[in-house]
Amino acid sequence: MSKSEQKLADVTGQFTQVMRDGRKLSDTDWSNGRIILSNKRIVIASNDGKHTIPLSEIQSIRGRYDVNQTVAKVSDYISINYGADVFLVSMGDVEEFELQIQKAILDGEIVLIKHPAVKGGVVQDSSWEKARVKINDGVANFAVESGSLVQIEVDDVGTVESDERTIRSKERPVIEAEHTEEGSSVQTYLSGGAQNCAILKSVLDRGAEKNASQIELSGKEEEVLMAIYSGVSPFEVPEFLDMDVDEVEEIYERLIELDVLEEVRVRREVALKPRGRNIASEAMNSK
């Protein structure tokens, strides 16, 4: 290990290769080994030899990749995609190891940021600026060249979408992340190299997957969410929708139980959670 290389993690765990040279390996099985992460590479070592994955070649970090029942029996792992190969690795604290990889790749990197690109559903006249990335547990930080700090809490992320846009006369990959800032729904756009965008997406996807909006709601419940999403005060919702106060209170109770709303005050002031923002946005778009 060179002087410029620093060991970040050294754990025992399991690993398996599920793609080699672009071919899916369906008969793969888990092997026990030692998994070492440095600021340059990941080394997976076992009695059968070792595999080295340069961090510079990692294209994405993903979740489940169940190619067969043997692989599926392990409940928690991450897939590391590099070149035409894919390795799955599992250990005691998978989330911590994934965070260490994300930090090793992203910390100190320069990306482009547009914030807020959208606020309250309205496109903003924001410009693209350079920003330096710093990933902490549960938070993606962006120190913008103009002096501001943009922080995106992972658990607050409602949706994350990938796109391509022309930025500074060049076609670039873009990550569009919806979250909140001072109580308002905003979208922050991030752009950079393919690897940086892919790893940033893996950081933010954890919150978006947790807050997915797959819940069956009644028409009235959706109307309540859309009203709050549009800026109507929770206290004014009954009058705004011409609904009985007690009925709205019951809807609030159910939506709080579903983790769609959070109670701000006992006097039934509520605020949309990421899942609620997703449902309200989808409902409004379907009208």
Side-chain angles (χ1 to χ4, degrees):
M1 187 175 289
S2 66
K3 291 183 179 180
S4 63
E5 188 171 5
Q6 300 176 344
K7 185 188 295 185
L8 304 175
D10 188 345
V11 299
T12 56
Q14 296 176 287
F15 72 92
T16 183
Q17 187 171 6
V18 294
M19 285 196 73
R20 182 185 296 123
D21 299 326
R23 293 187 302 105
K24 192 173 184 179
L25 307 176
S26 58
D27 60 346
T28 186
D29 196 359
W30 291 100
S31 299
N32 295 319
R34 182 180 170 196
I35 305 166
I36 305 166
L37 170 68
S38 77
N39 59 330
K40 302 286 186 182
R41 55 187 169 161
I42 298 172
V43 177
I44 302 171
S46 69
N47 293 334
D48 297 325
K50 70 176 183 179
H51 302 273
T52 299
I53 305 172
L55 295 188
S56 60
E57 294 183 15
I58 293 179
Q59 296 167 319
S60 65
I61 306 171
R62 299 177 182 171
R64 304 219 43 103
Y65 203 106
D66 295 342
V67 293
N68 58 36
Q69 289 300 313
T70 303
V71 170
K73 71 182 181 182
V74 174
S75 61
D76 203 7
Y77 61 78
I78 55 174
S79 63
I80 300 172
N81 301 47
Y82 74 105
D85 297 341
V86 177
F87 270 90
L88 310 184
V89 295
S90 177
M91 67 286 297
D93 193 339
V94 173
E95 287 191 18
E96 175 62 24
F97 191 79
E98 181 180 12
L99 176 63
Q100 290 291 335
I101 299 174
Q102 292 165 343
K103 288 176 64 64
I105 294 174
L106 290 174
D107 278 2
E109 289 292 296
I110 301 296
V111 298
L112 293 173
I113 188 169
K114 191 174 188 179
H115 174 84
V118 180
K119 184 174 183 178
V122 179
V123 176
Q124 304 295 296
D125 187 24
S126 304
S127 58
W128 287 97
E129 297 182 85
K130 290 182 180 179
R132 189 177 298 276
V133 183
K134 174 70 174 176
I135 304 299
N136 292 331
D137 188 9
V139 183
N141 303 281
F142 303 91
V144 186
E145 62 180 341
S146 60
S148 62
L149 176 65
V150 177
Q151 294 184 303
I152 302 178
E153 294 186 16
V154 174
D155 284 348
D156 183 50
V157 174
T159 58
V160 181
E161 297 181 3
S162 300
D163 198 0
E164 285 199 359
R165 296 173 181 267
T166 302
I167 305 170
R168 297 183 175 180
S169 304
K170 185 178 179 180
E171 196 75 5
R172 302 174 189 263
V174 175
I175 303 300
E176 303 174 358
E178 188 276 341
H179 57 109
T180 59
E181 188 174 74
E182 298 179 351
S184 297
S185 170
V186 300
Q187 288 184 34
T188 297
Y189 292 174
L190 302 161
S191 183
Q195 184 190 46
N196 284 347
C197 284
I199 305 303
L200 275 172
K201 189 173 187 300
S202 75
V203 172
L204 302 173
D205 266 341
R206 188 172 289 277
E209 290 167 1
K210 175 184 174 181
N211 297 317
S213 61
Q214 302 303 314
I215 300 176
E216 290 293 331
L217 298 182
S218 68
K220 288 187 176 181
E221 288 169 341
E222 287 189 347
E223 288 180 7
V224 168
L225 287 183
M226 285 188 286
I228 297 174
Y229 186 76
S230 301
V232 177
S233 165
F235 300 111
E236 298 172 350
V237 167
E239 181 179 356
F240 182 79
L241 296 177
D242 194 23
M243 292 172 60
D244 184 74
V245 173
D246 290 339
E247 183 179 13
V248 173
E249 290 285 329
E250 290 178 4
I251 289 175
Y252 286 163
E253 291 288 352
R254 170 170 153 76
L255 296 179
I256 289 171
E257 290 177 4
L258 290 173
D259 204 32
V260 171
L261 294 178
E262 62 179 338
E263 192 170 50
V264 179
R265 297 178 190 163
V266 177
R267 286 184 59 246
R268 192 51 75 221
E269 181 177 352
V270 294
L272 285 169
K273 299 191 76 172
R275 180 178 291 174
R277 300 198 303 272
N278 287 348
I279 296 171
S281 178
E282 290 172 6
M284 293 177 75
N285 289 334
S286 67
K287 297 300 182 183

